[in-house]
Amino acid sequence: MFRALKMPAKRLEILSHEIPSDVTVHIGGASFSLHKFPLVSKCGYIRKILSNHKDSNILVIEIPDVPGGPEGFELAAKFCYGINYEFSTKNISLVRCVSEFLEMTEDYAIGNLVKRSEAYLNEVALKTLSGAITILQSSINLLPMAEKVKLITRCIDTIAYIVTKESEFCLGDLASSSSNLKAIVDWRAEDLIVLRIDVFQRVLLAMISRGFKQYALGPILMLYAQKCLQGLEALGKEKKKIDSKQEHEMRIVLETIVSLLPRERNTISVSSLSMLLRAAIYLETTMACKLDLEKRMGLQLGQAVLDDILIPSFNFDGDILFDVDTVQRIMMNYLEYELESTNIQENDMEKVGKLMESYLAEIASDRNLSLSKFMDFAEHVPEQAKVSDDGIYRAIDIYLKSHPTLSDMERKKVCSLMDCEKLSREACAHAAQNDRLPVQTVVQVLFSEQQRLRGTMGGDGLITVEPTTNKPSSHELSWLIKENQDLKFELLNMKIKLKEVERWTSDREKTGVSSPGRATRYSADKPLFPRKSFLNSVSKKLGKVMPLLRVDGVVPMSTRGRNKPSKDRRHSMS
């Protein structure tokens, strides 16, 4: 009788004989009562052991480290007793490994288990991609014997060969662009992501060595990353604890994926790179891994949107909400690449400039963001990337509103980031009435607008008018000239009053009276001048002039309503 004894699961009756068993084999936690002759006739390993115990009638054999444990030995024993069972891609790796371990070769019997299992592998199992992947998956649990019989190597070679051949039909001569790469995912890329990361890496390297297009690895790698890093994005901005073992495995997966990313640009979207970078920061991968992702994002920054660079600061303990340093390094990588590039794309540069200004406005509302960090980032936004300074002004206005305790000196510093001459008319109109701006900045804004008006008019104070059939009347020209002269006079008064303010502030400081902010400067006990009403007056005058000026310099015939600019032309930044 061939039966498994002391099995924790079901008992298996293999064969019944009247002859009692004469050998007991212990495999792991299971015992098998068997017969010598069937075993020694096909198993060289057991024959060698029993040859040293000829005098004993009943023997007990302990066999450690059998591939597959009791399950593997049971398949070998069935074969020894002539019990038929079918090979399949699910059990063939186990059969092949245990037959090698027990030395079931042609030296002991014709058509032995090693030869039979090899024939099935070569003629059936390793002919399809799914079969090779299934065998590879099961072989991982049979190391090191699976490596000894080269099961893993052969499976990897088969997978690489089939995938590369199939991809040639999918890819053809497609260019390495993100719009064309979706076709790559349609074939059996999803079959590969079930593999363990070290085996997955070996498969991809084998594919490349067989001629697989490296740029086409992007979609496969991102599929694998999404599978293995699933759940990290659900943790939010505040870092939460996850299982240390799971975190370690994720870190290895991420670092391996980044090392395999193709070097070509545009093979992976910016949003995908952003996802990987967020995970790298969260999992605290090596600095080399994070810097690699930052550089890749920098090379494609012209394709990014605001959400791609709003990277949270995961170590949230009262510090800033966003990882500003990382985004600044990404921007510097972009600028470095553009400086080295012989074909600088102005459109990309302008898009990046607007993106960085939007990012500044987004982080400006963070009350914990220091003035030095805000200014350092803003100063690195290149001038050639800015069409106007409206975006910088908007970010400054939000920062001043979110940080009301800034001193006058700090307000002057942050306002020095913008060039008043590069503000649009709408932004100038808003800034002229903005109580959050220092007086000096308001004066600069008004002066810049006055200079702009002077440029629109001729050197003698007359408006430069292009030839047109609709000529302005002499009355309208006279009114504009008078308004221009009034604006000059108001601006001169503003400068005089500003000097009085500065002189008064200096005197207060010398006498030991502090003036930390604007509230002290314009205290009720020493009224210098009604600043707000004066600014409103200047603003109104600007409003009277600006609606009359068209882009082409022509003054419209109708001046109705010019004393009151419409609300839709007012520029509100807050």
Side-chain angles (χ1 to χ4, degrees):
M1 178 183 293
F2 173 48
R3 62 183 182 277
L5 303 177
K6 301 179 182 178
M7 292 285 286
K10 63 180 181 179
R11 293 171 59 90
L12 177 62
E13 294 291 338
I14 295 183
L15 189 62
S16 295
H17 284 295
E18 295 181 356
I19 304 173
S21 61
D22 52 8
V23 60
T24 301
V25 181
H26 292 289
I27 307 291
S31 297
F32 295 87
S33 296
L34 304 171
H35 304 88
K36 294 179 186 178
F37 179 74
L39 295 178
V40 298
S41 64
K42 294 181 180 178
C43 296
Y45 181 90
I46 294 179
R47 178 182 293 189
K48 293 174 183 177
I49 293 175
L50 294 181
S51 62
N52 298 323
H53 299 276
K54 295 180 180 179
D55 298 334
S56 302
N57 293 326
I58 299 178
L59 300 174
V60 177
I61 302 174
E62 187 79 32
I63 306 179
D65 304 325
V66 175
E71 182 184 356
F73 182 78
E74 183 178 324
L75 291 175
K78 282 184 175 181
F79 184 81
C80 292
Y81 276 84
I83 299 176
N84 293 324
Y85 58 88
E86 291 190 8
F87 292 155
S88 68
T89 55
K90 293 183 179 180
N91 67 14
I92 191 61
S93 56
L94 182 57
V95 171
R96 179 65 187 90
C97 289
V98 75
S99 65
E100 184 72 21
F101 180 86
L102 295 175
E103 301 178 28
M104 302 176 71
T105 64
E106 298 299 293
D107 295 337
Y108 301 97
I110 302 298
N112 214 343
L113 193 54
V114 168
K115 185 177 181 179
R116 294 275 189 91
S117 57
E118 274 293 327
Y120 181 80
L121 282 168
N122 296 328
E123 297 172 12
V124 180
L126 294 179
K127 292 294 185 181
T128 64
L129 181 63
S130 59
I133 291 175
T134 302
I135 296 169
L136 182 57
Q137 282 283 81
S138 58
S139 297
I140 293 173
N141 301 320
L142 298 171
L143 295 171
M145 183 56 68
E147 286 283 18
K148 181 180 178 180
V149 298
K150 299 182 179 180
L151 260 182
I152 293 180
T153 303
R154 285 188 287 171
C155 288
I156 290 175
D157 287 343
T158 299
I159 295 170
Y161 173 78
I162 296 175
V163 169
T164 303
K165 279 292 183 184
E166 290 188 359
S167 67
E168 290 177 357
F169 294 101
C170 293
L171 295 176
D173 295 324
L174 291 178
S176 56
S177 62
S178 56
S179 61
N180 291 329
L181 290 177
K182 186 180 181 302
I184 303 169
V185 187
D186 293 337
W187 50 263
R188 304 181 182 181
E190 293 188 2
D191 295 335
L192 302 180
I193 66 176
V194 301
L195 300 173
R196 205 171 68 181
I197 184 60
D198 55 334
V199 180
F200 178 73
Q201 181 181 18
R202 290 176 61 181
V203 169
L204 296 190
L205 293 176
M207 288 163 51
I208 294 173
S209 67
R210 284 188 171 272
F212 188 82
K213 304 296 185 183
Q214 191 167 8
Y215 69 80
L217 291 179
I220 308 173
L221 291 167
M222 290 312 303
L223 276 176
Y224 195 92
Q226 291 167 7
K227 176 184 76 79
C228 296
L229 304 177
Q230 199 171 20
L232 279 183
E233 65 274 11
L235 296 176
K237 294 182 179 179
E238 185 173 352
K239 185 170 183 178
K240 298 179 182 179
K241 287 290 184 182
I242 59 175
D243 180 67
S244 58
K245 182 180 179 182
Q246 182 185 9
E247 184 174 345
H248 176 70
E249 292 174 351
M250 286 184 172
R251 189 180 301 115
I252 292 175
V253 167
L254 182 54
E255 291 174 357
T256 304
I257 287 175
V258 173
S259 69
L260 292 170
L261 290 176
R263 307 313 304 180
E264 295 90 345
R265 293 179 67 197
N266 304 323
T267 54
I268 298 177
S269 66
V270 178
S271 59
S272 296
L273 291 172
S274 177
M275 184 271 286
L276 294 177
L277 181 56
R278 292 166 195 248
I281 296 172
Y282 179 87
L283 294 171
E284 298 178 357
T285 61
T286 62
M287 183 57 67
C289 176
K290 287 182 278 193
L291 292 178
D292 188 3
L293 289 169
E294 289 174 8
K295 185 173 183 179
R296 292 173 184 275
M297 282 193 68
L299 297 182
Q300 299 178 213
L301 194 56
Q303 306 164 15
V305 295
L306 183 59
D307 284 344
D308 295 331
I309 59 175
L310 287 177
I311 301 172
S313 178
F314 287 109
N315 296 320
F316 185 79
D317 51 2
D319 202 356
I320 58 176
L321 296 174
F322 297 105
D323 194 338
V324 181
D325 293 335
T326 294
V327 178
Q328 185 165 332
R329 287 194 297 270
I330 292 172
M331 180 175 63
M332 297 308 294
N333 282 324
Y334 167 79
L335 295 176
E336 181 181 351
Y337 173 78
E338 287 297 326
L339 288 175
E340 295 175 354
S341 176
T342 56
N343 183 23
I344 298 177
Q345 298 185 11
E346 292 296 333
N347 291 338
D348 268 6
M349 185 70 77
E350 291 180 10
K351 284 177 62 178
V352 170
K354 291 179 180 179
L355 177 65
M356 293 300 111
E357 289 173 346
S358 298
Y359 181 77
L360 265 176
E362 189 71 27
I363 65 175
S365 60
D366 185 356
R367 295 183 182 274
N368 294 318
L369 182 66
S370 66
L371 176 62
S372 60
K373 190 174 286 291
F374 178 81
M375 291 190 64
D376 186 50
F377 189 96
E379 287 170 350
H380 281 88
V381 178
E383 286 298 320
Q384 63 267 33
K386 294 185 289 186
V387 178
S388 72
D389 269 21
D390 286 14
I392 291 290
Y393 170 59
R394 176 171 176 266
I396 290 172
D397 188 42
I398 295 173
Y399 189 82
L400 293 177
K401 184 177 182 180
S402 303
H403 300 77
T405 60
L406 292 177
S407 66
D408 283 348
M409 184 60 67
E410 289 172 328
R411 289 173 183 271
K412 290 178 184 177
K413 282 184 178 180
V414 73
C415 287
S416 67
L417 293 169
M418 67 178 174
D419 185 350
C420 296
E421 295 182 358
K422 292 186 177 181
L423 294 178
S424 66
R425 289 177 176 176
E426 290 79 4
C428 284
H430 184 276
Q433 303 178 74
N434 193 341
D435 289 336
R436 290 186 284 271
L437 299 180
V439 177
Q440 292 88 339
T441 303
V442 176
V443 170
Q444 291 176 6
V445 170
L446 293 172
F447 179 76
S448 299
E449 186 61 20
Q450 195 271 341
Q451 290 294 101
R452 181 183 299 167
L453 288 173
R454 179 180 298 174
T456 304
M457 298 179 181
D460 55 356
L462 295 177
I463 294 181
T464 303
V465 182
E466 297 293 331
T468 177
T469 55
N470 297 325
K471 294 183 179 180
S473 66
S474 58
H475 173 74
E476 290 170 337
L477 288 176
S478 300
W479 180 84
L480 285 172
I481 294 171
K482 183 179 181 302
E483 287 293 322
N484 187 39
Q485 295 297 330
D486 290 345
L487 185 59
K488 290 180 181 178
F489 179 74
E490 294 280 11
L491 188 58
L492 180 61
N493 282 340
M494 191 69 168
K495 291 179 180 178
I496 295 172
K497 296 297 183 182
L498 178 60
K499 289 182 179 179
E500 291 178 2
V501 172
E502 292 175 343
R503 190 183 309 115
W504 177 78
T505 304
S506 176
D507 293 341
R508 298 265 292 180
E509 290 176 350
K510 288 179 181 179
T511 57
V513 180
S514 63
S515 61
R518 189 173 297 165
T520 305
R521 175 180 290 178
Y522 302 107
S523 58
D525 58 343
K526 268 200 165 187
L528 294 179
F529 58 89
R531 174 178 174 274
K532 185 170 184 180
S533 61
F534 176 74
L535 289 178
N536 287 339
S537 174
V538 176
S539 176
K540 287 178 180 178
K541 290 189 177 297
L542 285 174
K544 292 175 183 178
V545 177
M546 288 190 297
L548 295 174
L549 300 180
R550 291 203 332 225
V551 177
D552 55 5
V554 177
V555 181
M557 292 299 296
S558 175
T559 58
R560 182 176 13 177
R562 61 175 176 258
N563 292 333
K564 265 194 175 181
S566 62
K567 291 185 179 180
D568 60 346
R569 288 183 59 81
R570 296 177 186 173
H571 184 72
S572 178
M573 311 297 276
S574 57

